[in-house]
Amino acid sequence: MLSNLKTRKGMFILSGAVLAAATIILLGFNIFKDNAAAKVNGEMISKEELNQVLNDQYGEEVLDSLISEKLIEQEAKNKKITVADSEIKAELKTLQDSYGGADAFEEAMKSSGVSMDRVNKDLKTYILTRKILEPRINITDDEMKTYFEENKTSFEEGEQVKASHILVEDEKTANEIKDKLANGADFAELAKEYSTDTGSKDNGGDLGFFVKGEMVAEFEEAAFSMAVNEISAPIKTDYGYHIIKVVEKKAASEAKFDDHKDEIKETLLSEKMQSEYTTWLEEAKKDAEIKTY
């Protein structure tokens, strides 16, 4: 999943596989003994052989990425552009959410061999790049209105429900929790104590707002048919047994341009940034003194 790690708007960040290769190449294979990268039935594969293969496969791509990164750093320094830790944390949170949360993102990192230090460095580079490019990009109201009209249906909001739930493995436990709730127990506290849903239990089972199509059918059917503050009987799904509490409801609403201006501007900015990045990078390389060996 992280073989080509990207931010929410698609700005390229160095791939985990390429960076792993780069790390090995740049370290010079100091970890190997007796000049051996491996031995097969006593016959040695030398670190020079491995180095040559990695350079042949990844060398040009890695070097080009590092040159681009260096140009971005130099431009940011010249223009006194900086990135605060809070900006990196906010961008990381958005990236984690795009993978389904911090745990899912961490698993994807592990499977791809990408370190958190590398992710933070790439996010910093992305933010610097964005700050460099934004002044070069102009987005007009006419462009935003055109985009809105062409994509209006995607901005329309269907009926929404805000709910909390307690998920357990068996019906007996679910009924015990239901009885405790009937006797005045606090829903959020019971969620923290009993729920097996690690993504919501620490928040008292809060799932936030969702529309039809986001939840499994049995859960969704119950939630949308309930009244505000109503607590369900145990609902069985493939995940186990749910006790659902509906917290709030929002009726379907027609999309309005003014409500989505910031979102549209962000989308158009991201689209333009990708082409503008290519243009800027070509200009930067043309003006720079770059020697490769």
Side-chain angles (χ1 to χ4, degrees), residues 169-198:
E169 295 180 353
D170 59 273
E171 188 174 12
K172 180 183 177 182
T173 304
N175 283 321
E176 290 174 358
I177 293 169
K178 177 69 174 174
D179 290 341
K180 289 184 178 184
L181 290 168
N183 290 321
D186 183 75
F187 191 97
E189 291 304 316
L190 290 180
K192 291 176 183 178
E193 181 179 352
Y194 287 99
S195 185
T196 60
D197 179 7
T198 56

Side-chain angles (χ1 to χ4, degrees), residues 194-223:
Y194 287 99
S195 185
T196 60
D197 179 7
T198 56
S200 69
K201 67 177 296 180
D202 291 339
N203 295 323
D206 183 15
L207 297 170
F209 279 100
F210 52 89
V211 297
K212 288 183 177 179
E214 291 186 17
M215 300 294 183
V216 293
E218 302 90 342
F219 187 100
E220 184 177 284
E221 183 179 351

Side-chain angles (χ1 to χ4, degrees), residues 91-108:
E91 201 66 47
L92 176 60
K93 176 66 165 58
T94 302
L95 184 59
Q96 289 172 332
D97 289 345
S98 73
Y99 279 85
D103 291 340
F105 180 71
E106 186 174 347
E107 285 301 314

Side-chain angles (χ1 to χ4, degrees), residues 46 59 65 73 129 170 174-175 237 242 245 248 268 284:
S46 72
S65 295
E73 291 172 357
T129 305
D170 59 273
N175 283 321
T237 72
H242 307 256
K245 179 180 180 180
E248 189 178 345
L268 292 175

